[in-house]
């Protein structure tokens, strides 16, 4: 078996096992972290696995109580990108979610299709030149996207749990929109990657609207080239997420919603002919979620893709 086929098989096997993987800043029904895209010329198709955890029903000072629940959100996501000429790019995400909740009161799981998202980008500029004797490459992509309500939303979940974020859902039951920007600058093999995304949510049929959300990340990376056929790019940086409070019936703010988190990110991207793989770990350094009634744990993302 070739190295390429072996790596693909190992990755798929990893997705098949339960692992440790909110519209509240990144869990459950709303995560739009992209990070460094895999290298491709025309198009790519791949899989991403994400793991996130959230502790809810915390006390007024953020302490655990008999009602505290430990939630995990895992997703296996089919994702892909397509370049149309040199100016247009489309990214698509089709997630399948695995949600689990454990508490002294009751345990529960929700597995199923999540909300599908599509993002379109336009290349404002793509410049290659030199600075001194070194290569300088810059690009800026801007665009917009849409998320459609393909994931199941259960209104009874919101009614049953009033003092917990409305995150234990497979989808939002709303059509939402995003505005996106991605900038990359590389001086020879040292680069900086910036991504920003603003998500505009609409009210669903159950008179519930998740708060709008802003996500931004900055990653510094360095490309090591091995035998002209493999590129290894370690990267590190910051990820910031903030969300407005949710709104019910067009006027009632949901106290246990919204907030912010700031994470330190470290990852590794590997590109070879016909295959790209990567992983990153997000260590949350600061957060204030749902008025202090929720606490997010660290996160993991693993991905692979095949350019064609």
């Amino acid at each position: 078996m070739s190295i390429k086929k072996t790596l693909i098989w190992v990755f798929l096997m990893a997705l098949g096992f339960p692992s440790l993987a909110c519209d509240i800043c990144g869990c459950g029904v709303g995560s739009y972290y992209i990070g460094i895209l895999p290298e491709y010329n025309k198009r790519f198709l791949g899989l991403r696995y994400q793991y996130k955890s959230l502790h809810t029903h915390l006390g007024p000072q953020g302490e655990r109580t008999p009602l505290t629940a430990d939630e995990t959100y895992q997703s296996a996501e089919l994702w892909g990108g397509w370049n149309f000429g040199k100016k247009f790019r489309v990214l698509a995400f089709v997630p399948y979610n695995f949600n689990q909740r454990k508490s002294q009161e009751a345990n529960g799981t929700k597995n199923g299709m999540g909300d599908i998202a599509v993002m379109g980008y336009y290349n404002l500029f793509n410049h290659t030149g030199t600075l001194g004797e070194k290569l300088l490459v810059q690009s800026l992509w801007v665009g917009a996207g849409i998320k459609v309500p393909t994931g199941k939303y259960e209104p009874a979940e919101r009614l049953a749990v009033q003092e917990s974020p409305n995150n234990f859902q497979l989808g939002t039951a709303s059509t939402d929109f995003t505005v996106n920007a991605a900038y990359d600058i590389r001086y020879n093999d040292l680069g900086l990657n910036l991504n920003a995304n603003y998500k505009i949510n609409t009210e669903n049929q159950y008179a519930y609207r998740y708060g709008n959300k802003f996500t931004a990340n900055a990653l510094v990376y360095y490309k090591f080239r091995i035998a002209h056929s493999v590129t290894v790019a370690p990267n590190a940086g910051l990820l910031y997420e903030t969300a407005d409070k949710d709104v019910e019936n067009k006027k009632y703010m949901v106290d246990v919603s919204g907030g912010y988190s700031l994470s330190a990110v470290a990852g590794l991207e590997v590109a070879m002919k016909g295959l790209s793989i990567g992983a990153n770990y997000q260590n949350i350094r600061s957060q204030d979620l749902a008025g202090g009634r929720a606490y997010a744990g660290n996160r993991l993302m693993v991905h692979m893709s095949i350019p064609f």
Side-chain angles (χ1 to χ4, degrees):
M1 183 180 291
S2 68
I3 294 177
K4 175 180 172 181
K5 289 183 178 178
T6 300
L7 287 170
I8 294 174
W9 176 249
V10 169
F11 189 90
L12 292 175
M13 288 292 288
L15 285 176
F17 288 95
S19 307
L20 299 177
C22 9
D23 203 48
I24 223 175
C25 291
C27 294
V29 292
S31 178
Y32 286 88
Y33 175 78
I34 296 178
I36 299 174
L37 285 175
E39 294 185 1
Y40 71 103
N41 291 323
K42 280 200 171 185
R43 49 195 174 268
F44 77 89
L45 186 64
L47 293 171
R48 295 203 305 180
Y49 166 78
Q50 298 187 63
Y51 166 81
K52 299 162 187 175
S53 64
L54 185 70
H55 309 292
T56 61
H57 258 306
L58 300 177
Q61 305 303 317
E63 73 277 10
R64 294 184 68 90
T65 73
L67 296 177
T68 295
D70 299 313
E71 301 173 1
T72 58
Y73 297 89
Q74 300 179 77
S75 67
E77 186 176 58
L78 181 68
W79 73 318
W82 196 304
N83 288 339
F84 295 90
K86 295 182 179 181
K87 286 292 186 179
F88 295 95
R89 168 180 292 169
V90 175
L91 300 177
F93 306 86
V94 183
Y96 193 92
N97 298 330
F98 306 86
N99 300 346
Q100 185 177 46
R101 173 190 285 157
K102 294 182 179 180
S103 71
Q104 293 183 17
E105 297 293 314
N107 298 329
T109 59
K110 290 182 181 180
N111 303 332
M113 177 74 73
D115 289 342
I116 294 174
V118 178
M119 299 179 182
Y121 288 85
Y122 176 76
N123 185 224
L124 280 184
F125 69 83
N126 193 348
H127 175 73
T128 300
T130 58
L131 182 62
E133 297 181 354
K134 301 290 187 179
L135 182 68
L136 182 66
V137 181
Q138 298 182 75
S139 65
L140 175 62
W141 296 79
V142 296
I146 185 170
K147 181 193 71 63
V148 293
T150 51
K152 184 178 181 181
Y153 177 90
E154 299 182 53
E157 176 73 32
R158 171 62 188 152
L159 296 174
V161 187
Q162 292 293 317
E163 296 302 319
S164 179
N166 189 20
N167 287 316
F168 202 67
Q169 305 280 2
L170 296 173
T172 65
S174 61
T175 299
D176 307 322
F177 304 92
T178 61
V179 180
N180 321 298
Y183 173 72
D184 192 90
I185 181 170
R186 180 165 54 87
Y187 180 62
N188 211 35
D189 291 324
L190 177 64
L192 172 66
N193 179 268
L194 303 173
N195 276 281
N197 173 280
Y198 186 69
K199 182 166 171 274
I200 303 165
N201 296 318
T202 67
E203 186 179 75
N204 64 24
Q205 66 190 86
Y206 306 102
Y208 195 92
R209 183 175 70 81
Y210 287 93
N212 294 345
K213 178 180 174 182
F214 175 74
T215 303
N217 71 264
L219 296 173
V220 176
Y221 63 89
Y222 192 90
K223 291 189 174 184
F224 296 93
R225 305 179 193 279
I226 303 172
H228 303 289
S229 59
V230 178
T231 300
V232 178
N235 58 84
L238 296 173
L239 168 64
Y240 177 74
E241 298 175 283
T242 182
D244 297 334
K245 289 187 178 296
D246 302 347
V247 178
E248 287 186 293
N249 297 309
K250 302 185 185 299
K251 58 182 178 179
Y252 300 111
M253 291 286 186
V254 179
D255 289 334
V256 285
S257 65
Y260 82 92
S261 70
L262 177 66
S263 303
V265 181
L268 183 69
E269 303 293 322
V270 179
M272 61 194 79
K273 185 177 181 180
L275 178 68
S276 293
I277 57 176
N280 71 63
Y281 184 73
Q282 302 166 23
N283 176 245
I284 297 185
R285 308 302 300 169
S286 176
Q287 61 177 293
D288 182 8
L289 304 176
R293 307 302 288 270
Y295 188 87
N298 298 330
R299 309 166 188 168
L300 172 70
M301 183 175 76
V302 181
H303 70 84
M304 64 151 271
S305 62
I306 298 174
F308 62 98

